[in-house]
Amino acid sequence: MTFEEVHREVLHLIPGQPSDVLDIGAGTGRDAAALAARGHRVVAAEPTAELRRAGERIHAGSGIRWVDDALPSVARLGTAGERYDLILLAAVWMHLAEDERPLAMDALARLLAPGGRVILSLRYGPVPPGRRMFDVPAEETIAQARARGLDLLVRTERHDLHDRAGVSWAVLAFESAGGPRP
């Protein structure tokens, strides 16, 4: 799947000019590379060493800065004082337990620049064997974001792009106070 296919509902929310972007749970870097190719300064946070190393190898020379960090605290990035115009969490949020999600939303709100945006997706359906996933209601995520000053911009639902039986997705996008970014 391409970046454009996966994020088609929210492409219009990605800044048009070079911006500071954080891809949390970057995996091997598909999204980070697409954003870097659009001229953004991208930090890819990926806690799984094998995926991070593969991403560094696959996207060498792309300008992506790879970091070993993860939610709920994003401890390394959280202490650096960096703020981002866009934070992307593709297929990440549903891996957080109920007690981790408020802490994670706190971290996102701290890392977001004024007028910045958060885009995240939620997976619904059967949990693959050996995976840690939770059924996260979109309403819960929206309420947590609103409690931290993040306004809902987009809420969409769609079928699974890989046509997995019983799997569907919700895509949520939020914006922090301070107005829209260019």
Side-chain angles (χ1 to χ4, degrees):
M1 300 269 97
T2 67
F3 174 82
E4 288 76 15
E5 290 169 319
V6 172
H7 301 291
R8 66 179 177 245
E9 298 94 344
V10 291
L11 288 174
H12 66 285
L13 298 176
I14 295 171
Q17 66 184 34
S19 300
D20 294 314
V21 176
L22 173 59
D23 183 2
I24 297 178
T28 59
R30 176 202 61 212
D31 295 344
L35 291 161
R38 291 172 176 233
H40 299 296
R41 297 169 297 278
V42 180
V43 174
E46 175 52 55
T48 305
E50 296 81 16
L51 294 175
R52 195 174 56 255
R53 283 194 297 268
E56 289 171 330
R57 185 179 67 256
I58 294 166
H59 305 293
S62 65
I64 299 168
R65 180 167 59 102
W66 289 87
V67 178
D68 177 7
D69 213 343
L71 291 171
S73 66
V74 201
R76 288 194 173 98
L77 293 172
T79 59
E82 296 179 48
R83 304 215 32 210
Y84 299 91
D85 302 304
L86 175 67
I87 301 175
L88 181 65
L89 302 98
V92 170
W93 200 252
M94 67 279 182
H95 294 292
L96 299 170
E98 186 174 359
D99 63 329
E100 294 174 314
R101 294 190 292 266
L103 301 171
M105 192 62 76
D106 288 342
L108 295 179
R110 278 193 311 273
L111 289 168
L112 202 57
R117 294 176 176 157
V118 174
I119 299 172
L120 63 86
S121 57
L122 299 168
R123 182 188 189 277
Y124 298 105
V127 177
R131 300 292 306 270
R132 177 185 189 247
M133 273 187 215
F134 303 93
D135 186 21
V136 181
E139 293 78 16
E140 171 194 290
T141 306
I142 293 166
Q144 289 175 346
R146 281 189 178 139
R148 288 152 183 87
L150 304 178
D151 297 321
L152 181 66
L153 296 175
V154 171
R155 177 184 181 174
T156 65
E157 296 184 16
R158 64 177 149 128
H159 71 284
D160 182 58
L161 296 176
H162 295 288
D163 292 323
R164 290 173 285 201
V167 176
S168 64
W169 294 83
V171 178
L172 305 174
F174 304 96
E175 185 172 79
S176 71
R181 300 291 294 178

